[in-house]
Amino acid sequence: MLGVIGFGGGEQAAVTLDVPMAGAGALYEVWRGGLTSAGRAGSVSYAEDGQWLFASVAMTARPGIEEAAFSAYTELLAVLAARGYPHLIRVWQYFSGINDEEENLERYRRFNRGRHAALKDYLATGRRRPAATAIGCAGDGFYLYALARRQPGTPIENPRQVPAFCYPSDYGPQPPDFTRAMRVDGDCAYLFISGTAAIVGHASHHPGNAEAQCHETLCNLDAILAAGGLKTPRVAAVKVYVRPGERPPHLVPPWAGAPQLVLASAICRAELLVEIEAFVVDGA
Ligand code: 3EB
């Protein structure tokens, strides 16, 4: 195993990251590969298989989410450059108080500023924004894990949604740096679908209605899957985030039936109740 992410539990791999998630029990996400090398540099732990690098970072972020995001991304990019896996494909990030104000700006909006400051040079050299998830968790930390690669992926946008990096300033001074999905082509093609919610254009739809938000989210996922262009897509894993107190939503094919991890957590717009991400493989 290159990396194991425990949501509320402890397991061993080349890299392990424990994300404190209230009420999750012990749920694990596992990324496998033929390990060639693993190590640690500063706050970054990494494991590589010659083509892919899995990395994780955990640091304190209360207060100081903007600084944490900046440091985590800066350290991460330095490791990717040093190890020769310069292309970010997929990033997950979890931190507490995502909708709380910190010095008059919501912590999620501050996070976007820190992330962007760290990504400036990366973007200036023509590299592409990764697919991403940004979600609340328990504790005081900032938890990031990522998959990077020697070769770039192909960014995919959703025709139903404004690209997140083009959001108007209503959603914060710095638009979020992620793409709706990243496709990776090779012996096998993969589609990494970002955390997806009931956003159409750039507006949140169906505030307060989890069921309608879920339906809208599945429409977005269908549109991203179609835009991804895989020949025979197979949904290999799904993660569902619901606000604490909301019932897990009812999924329909092709999203139902895949291994599923359901987590109760806050989502980065206060009115959103549901968010879903997926990992899709081409063929068997
Ligand atoms: C959205 O579509 C919902 O800031 O990295 C989803 C996935 C969202 C990733 C991020 C934010 C992020 O805008 C929020």
Side-chain angles (χ1 to χ4, degrees), residues 73 90-91 93 108 111-112 115 131-135 161 164 167 176-180 194-197 199 267-269 272 275:
Y73 266 90
R90 183 53 166 111
V91 179
Q93 39 239 327
Y108 174 65
F111 157 79
N112 278 310
R115 169 170 60 180
T133 294
I135 286 286
Q161 296 181 298
Y167 282 169
D177 283 303
F178 71 97
T179 186
R180 298 295 176 190
S194 293
T196 302
I199 295 174
I267 295 159
C268 67
R269 288 187 189 181
L272 293 177
E275 187 172 304

Side-chain angles (χ1 to χ4, degrees), residues 11 33 53 83 94 114 119 126 145-146 150 169 212 221 247 265:
E11 195 61 60
L53 181 145
R83 303 302 306 174
Y94 300 89
L119 278 174
Y145 61 99
R150 291 210 190 274
S169 57
L221 289 171
R247 271 187 311 184
S265 42

Side-chain angles (χ1 to χ4, degrees), residues 133-149:
T133 294
I135 286 286
C137 69
D140 289 340
F142 175 70
Y143 304 89
L144 177 154
Y145 61 99
L147 286 163
R149 211 164 161 266

Side-chain angles (χ1 to χ4, degrees), residues 187-200:
D187 296 342
C188 181
Y190 303 106
L191 188 67
F192 293 88
I193 301 183
S194 293
T196 302
I199 295 174
V200 182

Side-chain angles (χ1 to χ4, degrees), residues 105-179:
L105 188 63
E106 188 193 33
R107 276 164 62 82
Y108 174 65
R109 297 178 179 201
R110 280 199 179 278
F111 157 79
N112 278 310
R113 294 214 302 205
R115 169 170 60 180
H116 187 72
L119 278 174
K120 264 202 183 116
D121 293 344
Y122 176 93
L123 295 171
T125 56
R127 282 172 291 172
R128 314 306 299 267
R129 295 172 180 86
T133 294
I135 286 286
C137 69
D140 289 340
F142 175 70
Y143 304 89
L144 177 154
Y145 61 99
L147 286 163
R149 211 164 161 266
R150 291 210 190 274
Q151 303 300 325
T154 303
I156 306 291
E157 285 299 320
N158 178 357
R160 301 182 83 231
Q161 296 181 298
V162 170
F165 50 87
C166 299
Y167 282 169
S169 57
D170 323 20
Y171 306 101
Q174 175 58 55
D177 283 303
F178 71 97
T179 186

